[in-house]
Amino acid sequence: MDDLRQKYLDLVAGAADEATLEDIRLQAVGKKGEVALAMRELGKMTPEERQVQGPKLNALKDEINSALAAKKAALGDAALDERLRGEWLDVTLPARDRRMGSIHPVSQVTEEVTTIFADMGFAVAEGPQIEDDWHNFDALNIPPHHPARQEHDTFFMHRDPGDNRPPHVLRTHTSPVQIRAMQKQGAPIRVIAPGRVYRSDYDQTHTPMFHQVEGLAIDRDISMANLKWTLEEFCRAYFEVDEVELRFRASHFPFTEPSAEVDLRCSWEGGQLKVGQGDDWMEILGSGMVHPKVLESAGVDPTQWQGFAFGMGIDRIAMLKYGIPDLRAFFDSDLRWLRHYGFSALDMPTMRGGLSR
Ligand code: PHE
């Protein structure tokens, strides 16, 4: 019995995997294993011998079984350790962003603007780029033959003779989204609408497709003062300076009354733009109190509700903030330009973490 014990404990200790261990188990304590055969021998013994040998054999069987179980657990642990070592991965390593391309300044600035206005409680609204001329013009108090229609250098969608559907244009500004947002949501409302707009124009500061962001805030008693504060807060956050100064210049838009163009105090020393100081003024947007006729077209009662709207060129404020001289390069898809002016795909602008780095 001691030989059996030694033999099997040695075999178990030396087993390299679970399959070998199973073979050893069958050979030792299986139904036809050596221990079972030894048990069969008990029948030939005297009762006295049997009383001594029986428990010993049972103890041997238990001992081998528990050696098998312990070895099996150890082999399992070792296999798991091996697998964990092989699949080890440092999830805290920074990703390699070089191969991810870069974020276009227009996308970056759209994110920045959206982040700032979201922080002030503005939701994002959208509208179609192919717009019907009612939303693009009439609803904004620009009736047919109004001179403002000519000023917009509009692209008209093709129409076959006899086509009676309403005429469509490529939207010339984001202001039609004011109408759509109010039709959908009514008042009160606070939205911005960033997006593409189109005008037939092309030089260093004009491209036939460019980007605007519209702002709209309607409530019971919103005034020009709220507009001024909102724009000041925006400029401070966007240009990442402590102080800004805005100048409201009387202007005219058919869809606002009164209307103002807004200039930002700045300086251009050595071709470097500094915002908030200096003796220059730079126009950054158009704005005003939403015209009662516009509210009416959108189904909002102008005797109950009032508010402001503004429209700002995204490409233009991107050029100003990041010192990009020529607008046309924005849309050339030149990889060298994108590498130079682009932003890391992994740096999302946030109010707390910073807008740009
Ligand atoms: N839609 C005007 C433009 O494109 C900008 C604007 C928007 C002005 C809202 C006033 C209010 O020039």
Side-chain angles (χ1 to χ4, degrees):
M1 224 182 276
D2 283 341
D3 290 348
L4 266 184
R5 170 188 294 108
Q6 208 47 56
K7 172 180 168 188
Y8 283 108
L9 291 185
D10 285 350
L11 278 174
V12 166
D17 52 53
E18 291 193 28
T20 314
L21 212 53
E22 178 62 8
D23 288 344
I24 298 169
R25 190 187 70 79
L26 290 172
Q27 201 186 324
V29 295
K31 271 197 186 118
K32 289 174 189 158
E34 282 201 81
V35 178
L37 290 180
M39 293 234 180
R40 235 168 274 165
E41 299 297 313
L42 290 174
K44 297 174 193 159
M45 295 177 187
T46 64
E48 291 74 24
E49 271 182 320
R50 201 181 301 142
Q51 271 194 346
V52 179
Q53 298 303 328
K56 275 192 176 177
L57 269 174
N58 271 325
L60 174 62
K61 190 176 167 186
D62 289 347
E63 193 178 347
I64 294 176
N65 268 328
S66 55
L68 281 164
K71 183 70 179 180
K72 188 168 171 174
L75 283 176
D77 286 350
L80 183 60
D81 283 349
E82 178 74 10
R83 214 178 118 195
L84 288 176
R85 255 195 308 281
E87 294 176 3
W88 182 84
L89 172 72
D90 184 352
V91 294
T92 67
L93 272 181
R96 276 168 295 199
D97 60 343
R98 253 186 310 139
R99 282 202 237 143
M100 297 178 71
S102 58
I103 300 297
H104 194 285
V106 170
S107 304
Q108 167 76 18
V109 167
T110 303
E111 273 311 320
E112 293 183 19
V113 170
T114 306
T115 302
I116 298 168
F117 281 109
D119 197 55
M120 291 195 264
F122 286 75
V124 172
E126 284 181 314
Q129 295 175 42
I130 298 175
E131 186 58 282
D132 58 72
D133 73 353
W134 185 83
H135 281 94
N136 196 82
F137 294 121
D138 302 64
L140 291 161
N141 195 30
I142 312 175
H145 309 300
H146 190 288
R149 289 213 182 196
Q150 270 70 59
E151 284 159 28
H152 276 216
D153 304 309
T154 311
F155 286 113
F156 296 91
M157 300 303 288
H158 173 75
R159 299 178 88 206
D160 287 321
D163 186 342
N164 290 323
R165 286 174 301 175
H168 280 69
V169 299
L170 292 180
R171 68 178 180 194
T172 58
H173 50 180
T174 43
S175 298
V177 187
Q178 287 185 35
I179 305 295
R180 291 186 177 274
M182 285 191 283
Q183 284 177 322
K184 200 163 141 195
Q185 186 185 322
I189 186 171
R190 257 189 289 178
V191 288
I192 58 162
R196 293 183 165 178
V197 300
Y198 302 82
R199 289 183 201 180
S200 180
D201 208 350
Y202 190 69
D203 60 34
Q204 192 173 342
T205 51
H206 296 90
T207 48
M209 185 281 295
F210 58 106
H211 301 81
Q212 287 187 335
V213 56
E214 195 80 7
L216 174 72
I218 304 290
D219 210 320
R220 300 232 176 240
D221 50 14
I222 288 194
S223 71
M224 290 288 272
N226 300 121
L227 170 64
K228 187 154 191 274
W229 181 86
T230 304
L231 293 177
E232 277 167 0
E233 280 301 299
F234 167 76
C235 288
R236 232 195 304 279
Y238 176 71
F239 289 105
E240 300 178 71
V241 292
D242 293 332
E243 279 315 315
V244 293
E245 193 182 335
L246 295 184
R247 180 172 79 178
F248 277 50
R249 213 166 6 86
S251 182
H252 177 263
F253 300 101
F255 32 91
T256 46
E257 181 57 36
S259 302
E261 278 174 305
V262 176
D263 303 335
L264 180 64
R265 184 184 283 284
C266 67
S267 70
W268 284 102
E269 273 159 41
Q272 260 303 105
L273 171 73
K274 282 218 180 71
V275 166
Q277 53 190 70
D279 297 322
D280 277 336
W281 293 95
M282 183 173 61
E283 185 194 323
I284 53 163
L285 59 90
S287 65
M289 296 297 291
V290 178
H291 197 291
K293 283 193 181 174
V294 172
L295 295 175
E296 230 162 55
S297 325
V300 169
D301 181 355
T303 67
Q304 300 294 313
W305 306 98
Q306 63 177 40
F308 64 74
F310 61 84
M312 189 159 51
I314 291 182
D315 320 79
R316 182 169 156 73
I317 63 169
M319 290 169 79
L320 291 172
K321 179 167 178 180
Y322 294 111
I324 309 173
D326 193 328
L327 176 64
R328 289 170 295 196
F330 273 65
F331 311 116
D332 281 347
S333 300
D334 184 329
L335 273 180
R336 290 163 305 175
W337 186 90
L338 280 169
R339 279 191 200 110
H340 183 77
Y341 287 112
F343 293 82
S344 163
L346 297 171
D347 288 339
M348 290 299 287
T350 63
M351 290 305 281
R352 237 171 307 162
L355 289 176
S356 62
R357 258 164 285 175

